[in-house]
Amino acid sequence: MEEKIKCLILGSGPAGYTAAIYAARADLKPVVFQGLQPGGQLTITSEVENFPGFADGITGPEMMELLKKQAERFGTDVRWGIATEVDLSKRPFKVIIDGDKTFLAETLIIATGASARWLGIESEKRFNGFGVSACATCDGFFYRGLDVAVVGGGDTACEEASYLSKLCKKVYLVHRRDELRASKAMQNRILKTKNIEVLWSHIPKEIVGDKNVDGFIVHDIKGNKDVKIDVQGVFIAIGHKPNSDIFKGQLNLDENGYILTKPGTTQTNIEGVFAAGDVQDHVFRQAVTAAGTGCMAAIEAERFLSDQE
Ligand code: NDP
């Protein structure tokens, strides 16, 4: 059976739930499908100290629980489920959940987020939250005065290293090649910063420690030997992958898979389909900016529906 929905929201991070709060209050009767990681990327962060309004900070999972409650308070229908297929060729848009449930949506808000890429080594999982992180802006504060390593050679890694250099005693930038991928301006900034040391042509091997990280074993390709650097934190910054695979061929995406929206709006190339949060933002990637675009998407969905009437 096909279920009709006025405003279907995919994703349950700050973008999805903020869209839901606004859509519910505008009487769009939103349904949120939580997706693969209910609560989104913040559920794997420890403390969130930069979201306005939480003067004493709050943990990521607690914050997402509050956002969910707030969305539900206004009548949002929050459900388990992952969108597996969409047909955006005509309205109402067809969205298949979990491979077998069909929904017809008058408006669709895509807030499916992005996932940090990980190295795929066992110790990285074991120390996640205990010295391993994929977000310097979220977790850097806990490493004040300590030594840390950042893995990667792109703009994200350089930005993370630069941010951490202001808080930490020493930052090692571990890069697998002898040339950075980051923009020239970013490279210059890194190379000029005194407490950043680039370990060129070094491949990450193992993160070590007891309960918390106290070292990082990297392989020096040129010297053909393993080296242990004494660090208390390892930040993985080898890129993010927007969760946009199912929209390929229907929505305009940039070369990295981020959904393209009209500047200053959350409108995609298909009228009635809006994108908010990290799935359309590779620059800011903050909970508060995601929430901001979630709000925009709901307001735009509401205006779109009123224009149709
Ligand atoms: P990128 O894909 O640009 O860089 C990823 C980096 O990680 C590369 O240096 C890559 O190495 C390295 N890497 C990938 N896999 C591994 C692995 N398994 N082991 C070790 N190293 C690995 O991702 P970014 O997130 O840095 O950037 C994504 C996009 O967002 C880019 O277009 C970037 O310019 C943009 N961006 C812009 C910013 C800004 O303008 N302020 C800020 C942040 C991002 P290698 O180089 O050898 O491939």
Side-chain angles (χ1 to χ4, degrees):
M1 208 190 71
E2 291 173 343
E3 187 179 334
K4 288 192 178 129
I5 293 172
K6 217 170 184 179
C7 178
L8 181 59
I9 300 171
L10 300 177
S12 55
Y17 280 140
T18 306
I21 293 165
Y22 277 78
R25 288 170 59 85
D27 208 22
L28 302 189
K29 305 195 168 29
V31 174
V32 170
F33 280 102
Q34 291 182 299
L36 206 54
Q37 190 176 21
Q41 291 186 74
L42 278 186
T43 57
I44 55 162
T45 310
S46 37
E47 202 76 22
V48 181
E49 297 191 315
N50 52 10
F51 199 93
F54 295 96
D56 300 319
I58 182 167
T59 70
E62 270 176 316
M63 188 170 112
M64 293 322 299
E65 211 31 57
L66 286 177
L67 277 173
K68 176 169 180 271
K69 267 197 199 145
Q70 193 176 354
E72 285 175 331
R73 181 154 78 88
F74 300 112
T76 303
D77 181 351
V78 181
R79 304 186 195 176
W80 290 93
I82 297 164
T84 44
E85 207 186 312
V86 291
D87 177 1
L88 309 179
S89 60
K90 59 177 192 301
R91 270 203 336 126
F93 309 114
K94 197 188 256 187
V95 178
I96 314 280
I97 299 289
D98 297 333
D100 57 2
K101 293 181 261 323
T102 304
F103 295 85
L104 296 176
E106 284 181 53
T107 56
L108 178 65
I109 296 179
I110 301 167
T112 47
S115 309
R117 288 184 205 272
W118 295 95
L119 295 167
I121 55 177
E122 181 276 328
S123 50
E124 167 189 64
K125 275 204 199 101
R126 185 156 36 98
F127 289 112
N128 200 326
F130 298 92
V132 171
S133 164
C135 176
T137 331
C138 323
D139 298 328
F141 189 71
F142 304 110
Y143 299 89
R144 274 169 307 159
L146 303 177
D147 293 347
V148 298
V150 175
V151 180
D155 278 319
T156 304
C158 290
E159 232 172 41
E160 303 266 274
S162 173
Y163 180 85
L164 289 166
S165 71
K166 296 179 190 108
L167 301 168
C168 302
K169 196 157 92 212
K170 168 125 196 189
V171 179
Y172 295 94
L173 183 64
V174 177
H175 183 39
R176 62 183 178 184
R177 289 187 298 132
D178 57 6
E179 190 188 354
L180 293 171
R181 178 179 293 278
S183 62
K184 277 279 172 284
M186 195 60 97
Q187 295 194 21
N188 288 340
R189 193 193 303 175
I190 290 299
L191 299 175
K192 267 202 259 164
T193 308
K194 289 214 167 58
N195 63 339
I196 298 180
E197 179 181 341
V198 184
L199 297 182
W200 302 101
S201 306
H202 279 67
I203 307 241
K205 278 195 84 174
E206 221 47 75
I207 300 157
V208 293
D210 187 10
K211 186 171 181 287
N212 295 301
V213 169
D214 64 22
F216 188 20
I217 301 169
V218 289
H219 182 70
D220 170 5
I221 301 175
K222 290 192 175 149
N224 193 22
K225 59 176 192 295
D226 286 351
V227 206
K228 180 174 171 242
I229 46 176
D230 294 325
V231 290
Q232 289 79 49
V234 177
F235 289 80
I236 311 295
I238 59 171
H240 281 78
K241 191 184 173 304
N243 301 318
S244 63
D245 286 355
I246 59 166
F247 309 107
K248 252 181 216 153
Q250 304 190 59
L251 291 182
N252 291 342
L253 309 178
D254 74 6
E255 68 279 10
N256 295 314
Y258 288 89
I259 297 177
L260 291 170
T261 50
K262 288 191 194 129
T265 77
T266 62
Q267 289 166 37
T268 67
N269 56 304
I270 296 182
E271 277 192 24
V273 179
F274 306 89
D278 287 12
V279 74
Q280 53 86 54
D281 168 25
H282 64 79
V283 180
F284 300 106
R285 292 201 295 245
Q286 299 301 300
V288 67
T289 49
T293 52
C295 155
M296 287 163 65
I299 292 175
E300 289 179 301
E302 200 266 320
R303 289 186 184 157
F304 171 79
L305 287 171
S306 328
D307 288 347
Q308 302 294 304
E309 277 162 15

